[in-house]
Amino acid sequence: AFLDLSGPSEIKGVWKDSITLPCAYVPVEDLVQKTLTWTVVHDKGSGTIFQRDGSGDHVLLSEHRDRVSIPKDAPGNVSLLILNLEISDRGTYTYQITWRDSNNSLIAKEINTKLEVVKGKSKKEAVQEGCSVVRNFSLKINSQRTGLSLYLVILIAVVCGAVVFLVI
């Protein structure tokens, strides 16, 4: 459809990890993007996080400085990358874009994405926990003297490899 913005209505991020709030549209030849703005409403209040206009990119909320960005040179991709998620980042994020058409009229569209920040395990912690479970299992089997030590080593390698693959 004509100038539809697409992005999820809800997304979950893990505390201290990075997340991308996806948002995209299909560029139209006769329309010139004038501004794009990401705003947030959360526990601390509301405000404009990021604005791109004719003068460049601007991060307007100090708690987001050096933590947010939007791809450059990727027409139609206006996703917001947030680094080092904080619990206070949870809230409703609104993306608005304004275009100017060949008649000099302005067209504006917006979408909302609700971000939930959860305390979860980092990738490293998840891998360590998965391998620890396998090690404990192998110790239990070894203590029973079943003579399956070679098979156990292979099992540990396969399970740890699978855990690493799934986490990544």
Side-chain angles (χ1 to χ4, degrees), residues 121-136 156 159-161 163-165 167:
K121 292 182 174 70
S122 70
K123 291 177 182 178
K124 181 179 176 185
E125 290 171 329
V127 169
Q128 288 173 341
E129 183 177 292
C131 288
S132 173
V133 167
V134 173
R135 264 193 310 276
N136 290 340
I156 291 170
V159 172
C160 283
V163 168
V164 169
F165 178 77
V167 168

Side-chain angles (χ1 to χ4, degrees), residues 55-67:
S55 66
D57 291 354
H58 312 281
V59 178
L60 303 173
L61 289 178
S62 61
E63 65 261 25
H64 288 89
R65 292 243 163 80
D66 302 321
R67 290 199 311 124

Side-chain angles (χ1 to χ4, degrees), residues 78-112:
V78 290
S79 302
L80 181 69
L81 171 65
I82 305 174
L83 303 174
N84 195 24
L85 271 179
E86 296 294 338
I87 298 297
S88 60
D89 287 332
R90 70 176 176 246
T92 301
Y93 289 73
T94 301
Y95 167 73
Q96 183 182 54
I97 187 164
T98 306
W99 297 272
R100 186 174 303 280
D101 68 12
S102 55
N103 297 327
N104 236 9
S105 299
L106 293 177
I107 301 166
K109 300 266 182 157
E110 71 177 39
I111 63 169
N112 296 320

Side-chain angles (χ1 to χ4, degrees), residues 38-49 61 64 88-94 112-115:
W38 275 96
T39 58
V40 65
V41 177
H42 54 49
D43 297 344
K44 293 182 177 180
S46 62
T48 299
I49 298 171
L61 289 178
H64 288 89
S88 60
D89 287 332
R90 70 176 176 246
T92 301
Y93 289 73
T94 301
N112 296 320
T113 299
K114 183 179 179 184
L115 171 63

